[in-house]
Amino acid sequence: NNNNNNNNSLCCTSLLQRPNSWREAWRINVQEFKEHWHDFFLDIYYNEENGAIDVILLSMELPFTIIRKLTNPVPCDGYYCRPLVAVSIILSPLWLCYYFNDQFGYDLSSTYIGYIFCSAALVVGIIVMRYAPGGDGPMDLYMVVPLTLYGFAIAATWLDSIADKLVELLELFGILLEIPSTIMGLTFLAFGNSLQDLIANVSLSRKGLSTMAVTACLAGPIFNLCIGLGLGFMALLKSTGKEEIHVKFPKNIKTGFYFTLANCVLIVIAGVFVGKGVLGRGYGYLACGLYLAYVVTSLYV
C-alpha cells in the first residue's frame, strides 16, 4: 500500500510539473486530452445520477457541448485541462469569425485583424501547451486572469448567439402554430429568459441568502434596462447614422411599465411599512397575482 501511494504521489507530481521538452509536452498533452474526453463521456453515459431523460437530453446537446468546449477556454479550478485550454484558445478565432459573420455580416477572417488574431491565438495556445502545468493545475495568476477574461468574452458571444437562435425558433413556432408574437413574448420567451434566474434565486433563498436573492431579482432587470437598452440604442444610432430615434411604445409595453411600477410600490409597502424590513409570504402571493393580471391585461389590451 505504501508503494502504491508513493507511485500515485509521484504520478501526480509529474503531472503538476511542466514538461522538459516539446516532445514530452506533446505526449503528455495528448494523454491528458484523451483522459479528459474519456471522463467526459463516462460522466454522461455511466453516471448513476443521470436518468434516461437526462442521458437523452445530454446526447442531443452533445455536438454543441463539444464545440463550445473546443472554442471557450476555461482555466479555472475544477474545470482545468491543459490541452483543452490550449486547443480552445487556438480554435476560438474560428468561432469568433462565425459569430461576427452571422450576427453582423462582418467577415473577420478576410481582414488583417483576423490574421493577426488567429496568429496570436495560435502562439498563446502553443505556449499554454508547452509551459502550463498539467493535471489539475493551477495555472499561474498572470496567465489565469487574461485567459479567464477572454473566456468570459467568448462565453458572452455564445450566449448571444444561442439567444438569437432561440428567438428565431420561437418566431418559427409562432408562425407555424399561428400564435401572435405578443403571446409568444409574454409566455414562452419570458419564461425561458427568466427560468434560470428563478432557479438560482430560489436556491439562494433556501440556503438563507434571501437578501442576495432579492438583490439579484432587482439588479438583473435594472442591468437589462440600463445596459441592454443603452448599448442597443448606441448600436442602432451608429448603424443608422441618426442622431436621435423616435420610439413609440405599443400598448402592451406601456402595460408592462405600469405593472412594473405597481410591483415596485408593492415591494416598498410590503417591505418597509408592513413588514418593517421583511418581505413576508403575503407579498409573494400578491406578486404572483400581479403577474397573472399583467399577462391577462396585456393579452386583451
Side-chain angles (χ1 to χ4, degrees):
N1 293 332
N2 293 331
N3 293 331
N4 293 334
N5 292 333
N6 292 332
N7 292 333
N8 292 333
S9 61
L10 289 175
C11 293
C12 294
T13 303
S14 63
L15 284 175
L16 292 176
Q17 291 177 349
R18 292 170 173 81
N20 296 321
S21 64
W22 288 97
R23 179 174 304 212
E24 183 182 358
W26 174 260
R27 179 181 58 81
I28 296 177
N29 276 280
V30 170
Q31 179 183 354
E32 292 182 5
F33 196 68
K34 292 179 180 179
E35 291 176 354
H36 173 81
W37 289 109
H38 179 264
D39 295 338
F40 172 74
F41 285 105
L42 285 180
D43 187 57
I44 294 177
Y45 296 105
Y46 295 96
N47 191 345
E48 297 180 355
E49 297 180 357
N50 292 340
I53 297 178
D54 296 328
V55 173
I56 293 174
L57 294 177
L58 289 172
S59 300
M60 295 174 62
E61 189 187 4
L62 188 59
F64 305 99
T65 303
I66 293 176
I67 296 174
R68 188 173 66 250
K69 288 172 71 68
L70 291 175
T71 56
N72 187 16
V74 181
C76 304
D77 293 342
Y79 301 93
Y80 176 74
C81 176
R82 176 178 52 188
L84 186 61
V85 172
V87 171
S88 60
I89 293 173
I90 295 172
L91 297 181
S92 59
L94 299 179
W95 161 254
L96 290 177
C97 289
Y98 165 78
Y99 172 77
F100 280 99
N101 190 25
D102 180 64
Q103 295 292 326
F104 309 105
Y106 181 73
D107 188 6
L108 186 64
S109 60
S110 62
T111 62
Y112 289 107
I113 297 176
Y115 296 148
I116 295 173
F117 186 69
C118 292
S119 301
L122 179 62
V123 172
V124 173
I126 293 175
I127 292 175
V128 169
M129 189 179 299
R130 172 64 176 85
Y131 297 104
D136 295 330
M139 298 181 69
D140 296 327
L141 186 61
Y142 71 89
M143 298 178 65
V144 171
V145 173
L147 290 180
T148 302
L149 294 176
Y150 178 66
F152 177 80
I154 297 294
T157 61
W158 267 97
L159 291 174
D160 183 47
S161 181
I162 292 173
D164 186 65
K165 297 299 182 290
L166 289 176
V167 171
E168 292 179 358
L169 284 175
L170 285 176
E171 292 178 352
L172 176 61
F173 290 149
I175 294 173
L176 294 177
L177 300 176
E178 298 182 354
I179 301 176
S181 59
T182 302
I183 298 179
M184 296 292 292
L186 287 173
T187 54
F188 298 104
L189 183 59
F191 297 158
N193 188 38
S194 304
L195 185 60
Q196 185 175 0
D197 294 334
L198 173 64
I199 295 174
N201 294 332
V202 171
S203 299
L204 289 174
S205 299
R206 290 177 176 175
K207 293 179 180 179
L209 303 174
S210 57
T211 302
M212 185 182 297
V214 173
T215 304
C217 289
L218 298 176
I222 292 175
F223 180 84
N224 290 331
L225 289 173
C226 296
I227 305 300
L229 284 178
L231 294 179
F233 275 107
M234 287 175 59
L236 182 61
L237 291 171
K238 184 177 180 181
S239 62
T240 57
K242 298 180 180 179
E243 295 183 356
E244 60 180 16
I245 295 177
H246 297 281
V247 179
K248 294 182 179 180
F249 294 106
K251 294 182 178 180
N252 59 335
I253 299 297
K254 292 181 179 180
T255 303
F257 285 154
Y258 297 148
F259 276 91
T260 300
L261 293 174
N263 183 51
C264 292
V265 173
L266 182 62
I267 291 176
V268 173
I269 294 175
V272 177
F273 298 103
V274 178
K276 304 299 181 181
V278 178
L279 288 174
R281 188 184 299 270
Y283 165 75
Y285 294 135
L286 291 176
C288 291
L290 190 65
Y291 178 76
L292 292 177
Y294 157 67
V295 173
V296 174
T297 305
S298 299
L299 293 177
Y300 288 96
V301 167

